[in-house]
Amino acid sequence: QVQLVESGGGLVQAGGSLRLSCAASGRTFSANRMGWFRQAPGKEREFVAAIGWSGEITRYADSVKGRFFISRGSAKNTLYLQINSLKPEDTAIYYCAADPLGGVRVSEYAYWGQGTQVTVSS
């Protein structure tokens, strides 16, 4: 199994930046595709970004392209999400997820962290 723990969230002003981290453990971690999702109050959990096993292939939701950047650590046991030019609509709980065949849908991921809160003030 895979264990995921997010960190790095906080309260920031619009236009600011954050770097989220997801620490992963488990014997199958390096073989998993990984992604970031977010869920705002009263809304469905939505796709943010995903990254392949090598860390070179990435995908982003249209709403975050050019502002958010997903990456893996060199040892592949840490996932990052660099968030720039934050907007109030980015406020949400951010979750990292892992699955051997994960794509852009919540249902495609078997392993999830507990989430980290990102709050953007205007």
Side-chain angles (χ1 to χ4, degrees):
Q1 60 182 275
V2 177
Q3 296 81 45
L4 306 172
V5 180
E6 303 93 336
S7 62
L11 174 63
V12 298
Q13 189 176 8
S17 298
L18 284 174
R19 191 187 196 194
L20 307 183
S21 298
C22 176
S25 61
R27 60 187 294 272
T28 64
F29 174 78
S30 63
N32 283 299
R33 297 173 183 173
M34 300 190 71
W36 286 98
F37 292 77
R38 66 186 183 185
Q39 187 166 18
K43 294 187 176 182
E44 188 175 354
R45 190 171 300 186
E46 66 176 359
F47 171 74
V48 174
I51 192 166
W53 297 285
S54 70
E56 296 181 357
I57 306 300
T58 58
R59 297 181 67 179
Y60 296 93
D62 289 342
S63 61
V64 307
K65 286 181 179 177
R67 299 190 299 121
F68 289 23
F69 302 93
I70 189 171
S71 62
R72 285 190 187 237
S74 59
K76 312 300 182 185
N77 62 345
T78 304
L79 181 71
Y80 301 102
L81 185 68
Q82 178 67 43
I83 308 175
N84 300 320
S85 301
L86 278 160
K87 304 175 181 179
E89 52 262 43
D90 294 321
T91 295
I93 299 175
Y94 284 71
Y95 299 89
C96 65
D99 194 275
L101 299 174
V104 301
R105 296 181 176 87
V106 169
S107 61
E108 295 173 342
Y109 289 84
Y111 307 103
W112 293 85
Q114 295 299 112
T116 185
Q117 177 71 48
V118 172
T119 303
V120 184
S121 63
S122 60

